[in-house]
Amino acid sequence: MTTKNEIIINNFKDELIFALSLKLENNLTDECIYQLDYEKQNLESIIDSFSQDEDLSFISECLNLSNKIIKNYYKKKDNETLRKKQFYVTVSQLEFLDSYAEEKNLGGKGRRSLALRNILNEKMKKEV
C-alpha cells in the first residue's frame, strides 16, 4: 500500500518527466507548467515530514530542475511578450513614417528613411 507521501512524490515525478519531454520537443504549455508547479508545491509541503535517514538529494535535484524549467518558461514567455510589444511599436512607427512620407510627398524606395531624416532635421531646427 502506498503512502500519501509516495503518491505526492510519484505525481511530482510524472509531471516533471512530462514537462521535460515537452521541453525537449519545444512544446511546453501554460497548463503543463501550472501542473508542474502545483505538484512541486505539494512535494515541498511534505519534505519536512521525511525522516533524517532518507536521502533527499535526488528529490532536491528534481526540485531544482523543476524550478529551472518553470523559471525559464516564464522568462521566455516574458521575452516573447516584450518582443511582441516592441513589434507593435515598430509597426506603428513605420505607419507613422509612411503617413509622414505620403504627407510630404516623399516617394520611392527610401521614403521611410527620408521621412525619418526630415523629422530629425525639423526637431534639430526647433531645438537650435
Side-chain angles (χ1 to χ4, degrees):
M1 185 170 171
T2 57
T3 66
K4 181 182 174 189
N5 286 357
E6 290 173 332
I7 292 171
I8 291 173
I9 291 170
N10 288 333
N11 287 345
F12 171 74
K13 286 179 185 177
D14 290 345
E15 286 304 321
L16 181 58
I17 290 168
F18 183 63
L20 284 171
S21 66
L22 289 179
K23 183 172 174 35
L24 287 173
E25 297 170 0
N26 205 17
N27 231 1
L28 277 173
T29 62
D30 287 344
E31 185 179 314
C32 174
I33 292 298
Y34 295 147
Q35 192 63 36
L36 176 61
D37 195 28
Y38 175 78
E39 296 299 342
K40 177 184 73 85
Q41 289 174 17
N42 285 342
L43 181 59
E44 288 172 335
S45 71
I46 64 163
I47 283 184
D48 293 336
S49 68
F50 291 131
S51 70
Q52 300 293 10
D53 299 337
E54 293 181 89
D55 182 18
L56 298 178
S57 62
F58 177 72
I59 292 175
S60 177
E61 286 299 315
C62 289
L63 285 171
N64 288 337
L65 180 59
S66 68
N67 285 332
K68 286 179 185 178
I69 291 171
I70 293 168
K71 181 181 172 186
N72 288 337
Y73 178 79
Y74 285 119
K75 184 178 178 182
K76 183 178 178 182
K77 191 170 182 165
D78 289 345
N79 286 341
E80 288 172 359
T81 303
L82 181 61
R83 252 188 260 122
K84 286 179 184 177
K85 286 180 183 175
Q86 289 172 341
F87 175 74
Y88 289 123
V89 170
T90 302
V91 168
S92 66
Q93 289 171 340
L94 291 175
E95 288 171 348
F96 171 76
L97 290 176
D98 287 340
S99 67
Y100 180 89
E102 189 176 314
E103 179 184 311
K104 300 290 184 180
N105 292 323
L106 302 173
K109 194 174 184 179
R111 71 182 184 286
R112 289 178 180 158
S113 59
L114 283 173
L116 183 57
R117 193 172 299 140
N118 284 356
I119 293 168
L120 292 173
N121 284 337
E122 288 175 9
K123 285 193 178 249
M124 296 283 279
K125 286 177 187 176
K126 287 180 185 177
E127 289 179 8
V128 173

